[in-house]
Amino acid sequence: MTPLIAFIIALGLLVLFIWYFGSDSERHQRYIGTLLALGLAGFCIYSMSPPEKKIKKGMDLAGGVRFTLELQLPEDVKKDGDEKSEKIISKSDQDEAKSVLERRLSASAVSDVSIVPVGKDRLSVDIPHREGGENEQTIDEKTISTIREQLQKSAILNLYLSHEQNSPDAIRRVENGDFILNSQIVEFDESTDRGNKDNPAGPDKLLLQDKVLIKGSDVTNAFAVLDSAGWVINITFKGDGADELSRVSNKYKGDGRTQMAILLDGKIISAAVFNGHIPGGNCQISGNFTENEAKSLAVSMRNPLGVKPEIVFEESFPPTLAKAAIDQGLNAGLTGIGLTAIFMLIFYRFAGLIALIGLSINIILLFGILAIFQADFTLAGIAGVILTIGIAIDANVLIYERLREEKASGKSIGAAIQSAYEKAFSAIFDAQITTLLTAFVLLWLAEGAIQGFATTLTIGIIVSLFSALLVTRVCYNWLKSSNKFNQLNFTPVLSKKNINFLGLTKITKLVSFGIIILSIIVLGVKRGDSLGIEFAGGQQLRFNASENISTEKISEVVNNNLSEDAKNPQIQELTPLGQDKTIYSVRVSDSDGEKVKNAISSAGLTEGQIQSQQIRSQVAGEMLSTSITALIAGLIAIFIYITFRFEFSFALGAIAALVHDLVIVIGITVLCGLELNLILVGAFLTIAGYSINDTIVVFDRIREGLRNQRGDQNTIMNVAINSTLSRTILTSLTTLLTVISLYLFGGPSLKEFSFAIIIGVIVGTYSSIFVASPIVAFWAKLKGINLQRQILDADQETVDPTAASD
């Protein structure tokens, strides 16, 4: 489909959308809504077909490797800088590094590289695994090692002459504090002793002149060749570099003492005496290179960096584990949809079938929009899809519970449907907006996988509003127009109750305070030990264990490869339900990570590649502060919206219940041995949105009761809570069904997330009944507020803005 045709279709659908909501005719809305729903669904189906090609998989579902590089200025650049003004990485430095690394990796036979600037001094590098076809690309351990080497090399090449006093004795004197004019001590690269056979000062160091003889910027070409001595690197210099090489080689040829040292990134990689004159700017580096080393070094020399890159974050995703994650996500999604369908058909019968039609459109639109905008669909995005199913059904439950009440009041089926949609709208809209606010906060502050979750959740919330308020409404309009639709039967749920919820405040207050105090104590005791790798730093390895491998065997191998001062490693078995492979997770320090990883592979403990996540401490600290900022920003955004939409007493009750829920959920999560990480921050913000959703439904009914009834405020609030009890429980059940399926079948990566959501739903349901409303009643009594009068005055101001000044 050409961009012009796509634009025309999108414009036509937008016109239909505006026309639908601008029309007062049910007949027009029926036809326009049908055309709009089918048009959108058709456009999305076309855009995502075939899904395996059109839906862009994130790194964790496609396999591959991801790095975050921090760009630093080389030491010699810092020294040459003006002492009064500190040199920093500029935008041009960042852009140049991006361009150089792209050329470098392309020359290393790695294709489909995505390098994106992050902040002021970082680059994010994504290299996906590709199977089959012309673009096949295998990212194995050997490839990752080569990529890591290419990314970290500045390849700043400089040539120096040895100092005339170069000797072991002179080096010892300088190291002991003596001064030799115009000299510096430089070590050979740790990985090689190549080229130092002529070194009179010994095998490890040289005393060099402190002035650069030839700069790396004068290199015009470097390439690896195989000659009789093995693999060597031929280098060609230009301009001043070529002239200087010719001059010094002619001057010192045959003296047997003066050496030319070739330094790469501040380390000597080759040093040899001049055997003869070197005209034309050509020289050769030799020294027992392997083929890969020679080619890799030549590529780096051809593409030197003016900055020094350091890997501060590394994450690899083996294709086998990525495929398993997709299978687990599909199982969880299908199970969630199946349980939801059964639930809706049992409780709402034919109306449940209409809701499932809306849900089907919802899922089609969600994946279609992901395909259209080429948004990454990640493992966390699977969680977003499954949560979207619960959110979409929640909206239908709100409408159907209203419909149940309107039918019970004696209205005809047509009038009951009309009234149910109108009365449920405000609660649905407010609930979705608050969840959308938390999703926006995640989009704004989050990175990586959690951003994939936020993207999917944001799209899901928007399309769930469309499917619940338009698609299902249009279906009922068609049924009404047939004149044969005059009955809807629902399964009875919680016959009318008259529970004095506010009268239970003394008991529930003790329960809440007890759990909150326990949560605070747990967090205080655990402190840093409760933080996962993303907030504390380190390296985490995950792999499919070989047959008959025990936890004790893995522990033995890991402990034998730790440094002396290392903390105890964390080893967990993470095998998901229904999977025959045993998955293990090993967490060690950043410094021990690679050694432990190689030991696990060498010992034959794993089948296939090891999934690895390595995070330096400074990045972990940034992630922690960003997550705290996201939580605070989410709470502030919700508080502002609730204060704008409701009176202050209600806003205070909602925020107090929200803080209550988050403290308890975080406390229980840590108490159960889970580590706080980025995906859990996403869960906590989702819980914040869900908690507010539940509370809004109850508050909406309380405000309606206070507006239309007379009598004691507490009595009216109790009646409202009782009338929404079935709705509160059923919406919680629909969400729990989908999240429990995610917990059971979603795999180890989403187990912690789904566990937190399950606890959050249970605690949020409790707080919407036993915490939020009692706090509203308490505050009104404490301040002597007449909530009925306050609500009526607010309504009057909405109708007549000048009333407040009369």
Side-chain angles (χ1 to χ4, degrees):
M1 185 182 296
T2 65
L4 179 60
I5 294 175
F7 174 77
I8 293 171
I9 292 173
L11 187 62
L13 292 171
L14 178 62
V15 170
L16 286 174
F17 187 82
I18 296 171
W19 191 4
Y20 175 86
F21 286 101
S23 175
D24 293 328
S25 166
E26 278 195 7
R27 181 171 175 273
H28 287 164
Q29 285 188 334
R30 192 160 58 242
Y31 285 104
I32 297 168
T34 302
L35 190 58
L36 178 60
L38 293 178
L40 268 174
F43 185 53
C44 286
I45 289 172
Y46 178 85
S47 299
M48 67 176 184
S49 297
E52 62 272 14
K53 292 183 179 179
K54 294 294 184 68
I55 295 177
K56 185 182 176 186
K57 295 177 187 173
M59 190 70 66
D60 49 6
L61 295 183
V65 63
R66 172 178 291 136
F67 298 91
T68 298
L69 306 177
E70 185 171 82
L71 307 178
Q72 302 170 351
L73 291 172
E75 290 299 322
D76 57 342
V77 174
K78 293 178 184 177
K79 291 175 184 175
D80 294 341
D82 186 349
E83 293 180 1
K84 295 182 181 179
S85 60
E86 183 182 354
K87 283 182 173 289
I88 59 173
I89 299 295
S90 65
K91 181 69 168 61
S92 60
D93 290 331
Q94 198 178 32
D95 291 340
E96 180 186 0
K98 175 179 180 292
S99 177
V100 168
L101 290 175
E102 284 173 340
R103 291 198 303 271
R104 238 188 231 185
L105 293 174
S106 297
S108 300
V110 177
S111 61
D112 199 11
V113 178
S114 171
I115 303 181
V116 180
V118 177
K120 296 179 180 179
D121 61 353
R122 287 182 182 166
L123 295 174
S124 176
V125 182
D126 281 7
I127 306 172
H129 175 87
R130 294 277 185 264
E131 290 185 353
E134 297 179 358
N135 297 323
E136 182 173 351
Q137 178 168 276
T138 301
I139 305 298
D140 53 19
E141 292 295 341
K142 183 179 178 181
T143 306
I144 292 173
S145 179
T146 302
I147 293 167
R148 189 186 296 119
E149 183 181 344
Q150 288 288 5
L151 290 175
Q152 290 188 105
K153 278 188 181 296
S154 295
I156 299 172
L157 189 75
N158 287 317
L159 279 67
Y160 291 82
L161 286 179
S162 61
H163 197 277
E164 59 186 12
Q165 296 188 38
N166 179 41
S167 69
D169 181 60
I171 289 175
R172 279 194 298 271
R173 284 192 287 114
V174 171
E175 289 178 334
N176 290 329
D178 285 356
F179 175 74
I180 296 179
L181 187 66
N182 300 327
S183 70
Q184 61 174 329
I185 297 174
V186 182
E187 296 179 348
F188 277 84
D189 187 276
E190 293 178 359
S191 63
T192 178
D193 61 355
R194 304 180 185 97
N196 63 344
K197 59 182 183 297
D198 300 314
N199 178 19
D204 299 325
K205 303 169 185 174
L206 279 179
L207 187 68
L208 304 179
Q209 297 180 14
D210 63 356
K211 181 181 179 182
V212 177
L213 175 67
I214 302 173
K215 293 184 177 180
S217 56
D218 289 330
V219 174
T220 58
N221 199 6
F223 54 94
V225 294
L226 180 63
D227 67 9
S228 57
W231 282 96
V232 297
I233 302 171
N234 289 337
I235 306 175
T236 303
F237 294 97
K238 65 180 179 180
D240 292 341
D243 295 340
E244 192 67 11
L245 181 62
S246 176
R247 183 186 69 79
V248 297
S249 64
N250 191 49
K251 179 179 178 179
Y252 296 110
K253 64 183 179 182
D255 76 347
R257 177 174 178 80
T258 303
Q259 299 177 75
M260 182 176 71
I262 301 176
L263 275 67
L264 185 69
D265 295 340
K267 297 285 186 180
I268 301 172
I269 60 169
S270 179
V273 296
F274 293 98
N275 293 321
H277 179 222
I278 306 175
N282 297 309
C283 75
Q284 186 179 85
I285 303 175
S286 60
N288 300 321
F289 291 114
T290 66
E291 180 180 359
N292 286 337
E293 286 172 337
K295 289 182 177 179
S296 174
L297 191 55
V299 168
S300 298
M301 290 178 180
R302 289 199 302 270
N303 300 282
L305 280 168
V307 293
K308 181 182 177 182
E310 180 184 356
I311 295 174
V312 293
F313 178 93
E314 179 182 336
E315 198 168 20
S316 64
F317 304 95
T320 50
L321 289 181
K323 185 179 183 302
I326 294 174
D327 294 340
Q328 291 157 4
L330 283 172
N331 289 337
L334 292 173
T335 303
I337 292 173
L339 291 174
T340 301
I342 293 170
F343 177 91
M344 294 302 290
L345 293 173
I346 288 174
F347 284 96
Y348 298 110
R349 302 178 188 179
F350 181 76
L353 184 61
I354 300 295
L356 293 177
I357 293 173
L359 179 61
S360 301
I361 297 292
N362 188 322
I363 294 171
I364 290 170
L365 297 186
L366 172 56
F367 282 103
I369 293 171
L370 284 172
I372 290 168
F373 291 101
Q374 281 295 283
D376 283 349
F377 185 54
T378 64
L379 185 60
I382 292 175
V385 171
I386 292 172
L387 270 179
T388 295
I389 295 170
I391 289 170
I393 291 299
D394 279 359
N396 284 286
V397 169
L398 290 174
I399 294 168
Y400 289 170
E401 288 302 303
R402 273 288 188 177
L403 182 53
R404 191 196 297 268
E405 293 173 14
E406 297 301 319
K407 278 179 59 196
S409 68
K411 291 184 179 178
S412 66
I413 191 66
I417 290 172
Q418 178 78 18
S419 180
Y421 273 92
E422 290 174 357
K423 289 184 177 180
F425 176 80
S426 63
I428 292 172
F429 184 80
D430 287 333
Q432 305 292 50
I433 289 297
T434 51
T435 306
L436 202 57
L437 286 173
T438 59
F440 282 156
V441 168
L442 282 174
L443 278 174
W444 169 41
L445 291 172
E447 296 178 8
I450 197 68
Q451 200 165 47
F453 167 74
T455 301
T456 307
L457 186 62
T458 300
I459 297 170
I461 291 167
I462 294 170
V463 298
S464 68
L465 278 171
F466 175 82
S467 64
L469 298 176
L470 187 146
V471 175
T472 58
R473 184 75 178 268
V474 169
C475 289
Y476 284 118
N477 276 350
W478 279 108
L479 291 171
K480 282 167 57 181
S481 69
S482 67
N483 296 321
K484 295 179 181 178
F485 180 64
N486 52 24
Q487 188 175 358
L488 265 180
N489 295 317
F490 297 153
T491 300
V493 179
L494 293 177
S495 57
K496 201 163 185 180
K497 301 287 183 183
N498 187 23
I499 302 171
N500 183 9
F501 289 106
L502 297 185
L504 298 172
T505 302
K506 289 183 179 179
I507 299 173
T508 57
K509 188 162 53 177
L510 289 174
V511 172
S512 292
F513 276 121
I515 300 177
I516 287 173
I517 292 170
L518 176 63
S519 298
I520 293 172
I521 290 173
V522 169
L523 291 172
V525 171
K526 291 263 191 174
R527 295 187 182 179
D529 292 337
S530 66
L531 300 179
I533 182 177
E534 290 160 327
F535 295 155
Q539 187 157 352
Q540 189 163 31
L541 311 173
R542 185 171 289 173
F543 55 91
N544 284 328
S546 303
E547 288 186 17
N548 302 320
I549 296 296
S550 65
T551 304
E552 289 74 20
K553 176 62 177 175
I554 293 172
S555 180
E556 179 187 345
V557 171
V558 171
N559 283 302
N560 288 340
N561 288 276
L562 295 178
S563 54
E564 291 183 2
D565 58 345
K567 292 183 178 179
N568 290 331
Q570 296 179 13
I571 302 173
Q572 290 179 292
E573 184 178 338
L574 304 172
T575 306
L577 186 68
Q579 183 165 322
D580 55 354
K581 297 288 185 184
T582 303
I583 298 176
Y584 279 96
S585 171
V586 177
R587 178 180 168 183
V588 294
S589 68
D590 178 37
S591 57
D592 291 327
E594 283 305 306
K595 186 179 179 183
V596 171
K597 181 179 178 181
N598 293 334
I600 290 173
S601 295
S602 301
L605 304 183
T606 174
E607 290 185 1
Q609 284 180 249
I610 299 175
Q611 180 177 330
S612 173
Q613 185 181 39
Q614 181 183 24
I615 302 176
R616 299 288 170 86
S617 57
Q618 70 266 34
V619 175
E622 291 170 13
M623 286 181 170
L624 179 60
S625 60
T626 300
S627 298
I628 293 172
T629 302
L631 277 173
I632 294 172
L635 291 176
I636 291 172
I638 290 172
F639 182 73
I640 291 172
Y641 181 78
I642 293 296
T643 305
F644 170 75
R645 284 288 289 123
F646 295 93
E647 295 72 23
F648 180 78
S649 300
F650 289 95
L652 182 65
I655 292 298
L658 176 54
V659 173
H660 163 279
D661 296 349
L662 286 177
V663 171
I664 290 176
V665 171
I666 294 172
I668 293 176
T669 300
V670 173
L671 183 63
C672 291
L674 274 64
E675 295 177 341
L676 301 178
N677 53 33
L678 274 180
I679 193 70
L680 281 182
V681 171
F684 297 149
L685 277 169
T686 305
I687 289 165
Y690 183 86
S691 174
I692 286 292
N693 289 359
D694 236 3
T695 303
I696 283 174
V697 172
V698 177
F699 280 3
D700 196 57
R701 181 56 66 91
I702 290 174
R703 293 170 80 246
E704 183 182 321
L706 291 169
R707 186 182 291 115
N708 300 325
Q709 300 173 28
R710 293 292 175 266
D712 177 62
Q713 287 184 170
N714 284 8
T715 301
I716 294 173
M717 293 175 78
N718 268 321
V719 170
I721 297 172
N722 276 284
S723 64
T724 57
L725 188 60
S726 63
R727 187 181 318 178
T728 301
I729 292 174
L730 288 174
T731 53
S732 298
L733 279 175
T734 55
T735 305
L736 280 174
L737 286 173
T738 56
V739 181
I740 288 173
S741 68
L742 185 63
Y743 179 81
L744 294 176
F745 303 105
S749 299
L750 296 177
K751 208 176 189 76
E752 295 176 354
F753 173 87
S754 49
F755 176 81
I757 296 289
I758 289 169
I759 301 301
V761 170
I762 294 170
V763 175
T765 304
Y766 163 83
S767 69
S768 66
I769 298 171
F770 295 108
V771 177
S773 300
I775 287 177
V776 174
F778 168 78
W779 183 259
K781 182 179 179 181
L782 180 69
K783 295 296 182 179
I785 298 172
N786 185 324
L787 292 174
Q788 288 177 313
R789 173 48 50 196
Q790 196 177 57
I791 290 170
L792 291 172
D793 288 346
D795 290 345
Q796 184 62 33
E797 287 179 31
T798 303
V799 175
D800 181 10
T802 64
S805 61
D806 290 345

